[in-house]
Amino acid sequence: MPSPHLPSSAAEVMAGASSLMAEPFKGPITVTLAYFVVYYLFCFGQTFMHTVLFATLKKKGESVTLSDVKLGRIEDPMVTAVNRMFLNTAEQAIPFLTSFWLYALLVDREDATLYGWVYVGLRAVYPLFLYLGLKFYTAIVAFSTAGQYLIIFYFLVKLAFLVGVPAWVTFSILGVIMCLMSVIAFRYHLVWALGKDREGLQPLSQ
């Protein structure tokens, strides 16, 4: 009879080895799982809200199709918010997960876990800030998105230093990106301040 303290099969040996290998990365793995929970909540939430908004618009007598709602053809703040909720999350998934795991593997697991949780938290409240931004003032959204961008940039800068990229190159590229972000932010502020629809941007007062 095999000892209860010894693995009885190769599968158990492999499982034990995998567990030992995963233990140091428990933090990053947990962050990744939490991120995907948020990701799929947004994904399925988008589909659910499309159905609700479609039904609401039909009750109001609007001549719309479900495709109009899904593809954002309807000039409605809630449609915009629902679509951006998931699209922005999908857009940033690869930059975040790639930089996060490279940082965790090559730089500092605990540091990555801490900033990873902050990122997931900011991502989770993104719909709230997006709604407030559409309803009141665009810049409110930056309280969520800017923090997420900064965390990704932090990971990337540390990784760049790790492989010997000169500081002036790293910060020059980062500076250009920040300038572009500032220009975009100013443009949205201008649209909000003028209260006009420019190139398809909805005035936030509506």
Side-chain angles (χ1 to χ4, degrees):
M1 180 176 180
S3 170
H5 301 292
L6 296 176
S8 59
S9 68
E12 289 186 15
V13 173
M14 293 295 292
S18 298
S19 179
L20 288 174
M21 292 174 62
E23 183 61 30
F25 294 96
K26 184 177 180 179
I29 291 172
T30 305
V31 169
T32 304
L33 293 174
Y35 176 83
F36 278 112
V37 168
V38 174
Y39 182 93
Y40 282 107
L41 281 175
F42 285 4
C43 178
F44 298 133
Q46 181 191 40
T47 301
F48 173 75
M49 287 304 298
H50 280 159
T51 305
V52 172
L53 290 170
F54 171 67
T56 302
L57 292 171
K58 292 296 286 186
K59 284 183 179 179
K60 291 180 179 179
E62 299 283 346
S63 179
V64 297
T65 65
L66 185 57
S67 294
D68 291 332
V69 177
K70 286 186 174 182
L71 298 177
R73 297 174 186 150
I74 307 300
E75 294 184 352
D76 184 276
M78 282 303 296
V79 173
T80 302
V82 168
N83 288 338
R84 288 308 305 163
M85 175 184 74
F86 179 67
L87 288 175
N88 185 269
T89 301
E91 290 166 2
Q92 297 302 315
I94 293 178
F96 168 66
L97 291 174
T98 303
S99 61
F100 169 72
W101 270 102
L102 284 174
Y103 189 93
L105 289 168
L106 302 175
V107 183
D108 190 319
R109 294 190 298 270
E110 293 183 1
D111 207 25
T113 301
L114 173 62
Y115 286 107
W117 277 119
V118 174
Y119 185 96
V120 171
L122 290 172
R123 175 55 59 185
V125 298
Y126 174 71
L128 172 62
F129 284 98
L130 181 60
Y131 173 77
L132 293 175
L134 288 168
K135 190 172 181 62
F136 300 109
Y137 178 50
T138 310
I140 294 176
V141 182
F143 285 102
S144 173
T145 56
Q148 295 173 62
Y149 290 137
L150 288 174
I151 289 171
I152 293 174
F153 293 158
Y154 172 76
F155 290 154
L156 294 176
V157 168
K158 294 294 286 285
L159 288 166
F161 288 160
L162 181 68
V163 297
V165 177
W168 71 269
V169 174
T170 301
F171 286 113
S172 294
I173 295 173
L174 188 60
V176 171
I177 294 173
M178 297 300 289
C179 286
L180 290 173
M181 290 177 63
S182 298
V183 170
I184 293 171
F186 176 75
R187 179 173 179 269
Y188 274 92
H189 170 75
L190 186 63
V191 172
W192 174 84
L194 296 177
K196 295 180 180 179
D197 184 359
R198 292 189 173 188
E199 300 178 14
L201 291 174
Q202 280 296 105
L204 301 179
S205 58
Q206 293 186 359

